[in-house]
């Protein structure tokens, strides 16, 4: 277990996204990168200390970015990522479980570029077991 818990689950989510065939970045790619793509945005560790260890949850935030006319593609990609993450139980020696009741997918319009976009934001809470 040489990685921290948040790095372990971040890397596992990235690996699963790539396994699904999605272009996956851990940063906002430069101009010229074709849509659609997945951006892993960040993690948040929510600790829950016990007498013998610190457990808790890791929240992973990621987005599926598509052109405005690719809503169906973005929706399918987000759902496939969510379903794939449901099956994560181990990463780098740690055990996890996706807390489905505290995870969600939101769809937003994005006009921060010259091309109107759709952004499917996934917030996934993994319990550390």
């Amino acid at each position: 277990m040489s990685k921290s818990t948040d790095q372990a689950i971040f890397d596992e989510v990235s690996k699963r996204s790539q396994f699904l065939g999605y272009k996956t970045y851990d940063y906002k790619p430069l101009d010229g990168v074709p849509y659609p793509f997945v951006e892993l945005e960040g993690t948040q560790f929510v600790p829950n200390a016990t007498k013998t260890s610190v457990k808790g949850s890791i929240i992973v935030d990621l987005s599926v970015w598509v052109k405005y006319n690719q809503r169906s593609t973005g929706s399918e990609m987000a759902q496939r990522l969510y379903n794939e993450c449901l099956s994560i139980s181990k990463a780098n020696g740690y055990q996890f479980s996706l807390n489905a009741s505290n995870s969600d997918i939101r769809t937003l319009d994005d006009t921060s570029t010259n091309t109107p976009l759709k952004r499917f934001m996934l917030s996934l809470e993994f319990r550390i077991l």
Side-chain angles (χ1 to χ4, degrees):
M1 289 192 245
S2 60
K3 294 181 184 180
S4 64
T5 51
D6 69 308
Q7 189 64 52
I9 196 65
F10 183 90
D11 290 349
E12 186 65 23
V13 171
S14 178
K15 184 171 82 175
R16 300 291 181 107
S17 178
Q18 292 172 46
F19 171 77
L20 291 171
Y22 304 147
K23 288 176 284 190
T24 304
Y25 303 92
D26 60 358
Y27 59 90
K28 285 228 184 324
L30 300 174
D31 291 339
V33 172
Y35 295 95
F37 64 83
V38 175
E39 176 195 7
L40 279 91
E41 299 178 50
T43 60
Q44 177 185 357
F45 174 57
V46 183
N48 181 20
T50 66
K51 289 182 182 182
T52 58
S53 66
V54 177
K55 299 284 185 181
S57 299
I58 305 290
I59 299 167
V60 179
D61 293 317
L62 61 149
S63 292
V64 175
W65 292 89
V66 298
K67 290 183 179 178
Y68 73 96
N69 61 349
Q70 296 176 309
R71 187 189 194 291
S72 177
T73 299
S75 179
E76 180 182 323
M77 288 175 68
Q79 191 63 54
R80 287 184 69 203
L81 273 166
Y82 180 86
N83 290 342
E84 184 66 28
C85 288
L86 278 170
S87 69
I88 295 175
S89 61
K90 291 184 180 180
N92 201 56
Y94 299 104
Q95 292 186 313
F96 296 97
S97 174
L98 182 67
N99 183 355
S101 63
N102 282 356
S103 300
D104 61 39
I105 302 171
R106 292 182 292 151
T107 307
L108 303 169
D109 290 327
D110 186 285
T111 56
S112 63
T113 66
N114 292 335
T115 303
L117 304 171
K118 292 281 185 189
R119 180 180 185 185
F120 294 81
M121 297 176 64
L122 291 84
S123 182
L124 306 173
E125 181 181 303
F126 292 90
R127 289 188 193 121
I128 304 166
L129 304 177

